[in-house]
Amino acid sequence: MEHIVQFAINIDDKTIQNRIEEHAYTDLLNKLTKNAVDSVFSHSSAYSRNTMWESLMENALQNLIEERRDEIIDKAANMLADRFQRTKKYREAMGDAIAKDGE
């Protein structure tokens, strides 16, 4: 007994193309980063590679903190002030101070 089965496959070329384009940049960037790191550390052992990587990252982070020190302090101060203003003790103290000064 023979059976004839028909089916169709719908391939959305545009969707596939868009998905490839979306991920191509990230994939290429990851590959270039890996190649750069491997070439920089190609003549070192695993231990010294980790040590070198840590010192490079530490220096980069330290430079970033130095460049943005004032912004970081301002943001932290604002976050801390907002947190204090939401406490019951702060509201009570401000209420007492306003009542005392009459303002």
Side-chain angles (χ1 to χ4, degrees):
M1 178 188 291
E2 292 182 23
H3 297 284
I4 298 175
V5 178
Q6 293 181 340
F7 63 93
I9 299 174
N10 183 12
I11 299 175
D12 188 1
D13 293 336
K14 196 66 172 168
T15 302
I16 294 171
Q17 180 182 357
N18 288 341
R19 188 162 292 150
I20 289 171
E21 288 173 358
E22 288 173 5
H23 297 287
Y25 177 77
T26 305
D27 293 342
L28 180 63
L29 189 60
N30 290 340
K31 185 172 178 92
L32 289 174
T33 302
K34 183 185 179 314
N35 288 344
V37 168
D38 287 346
S39 67
V40 167
F41 297 119
S42 63
H43 302 291
S44 64
S45 68
Y47 176 75
S48 62
R49 178 185 288 202
N50 288 339
T51 304
M52 288 159 104
W53 189 248
E54 283 178 14
S55 80
L56 284 173
M57 293 303 293
E58 185 176 322
N59 290 339
L61 185 59
Q62 190 64 34
N63 290 338
L64 178 69
I65 290 172
E66 289 296 325
E67 290 173 7
R68 309 266 186 205
R69 179 179 300 274
D70 292 336
E71 294 173 42
I72 293 169
I73 290 171
D74 288 343
K75 184 74 172 174
N78 289 336
M79 290 171 65
L80 188 59
D82 287 343
R83 183 168 287 170
F84 279 132
Q85 289 174 357
R86 292 186 186 131
T87 64
K88 184 177 178 182
K89 287 240 183 221
Y90 175 85
R91 289 192 302 269
E92 289 173 354
M94 288 302 293
D96 293 343
I98 291 171
K100 182 179 178 183
D101 291 339
E103 293 180 15

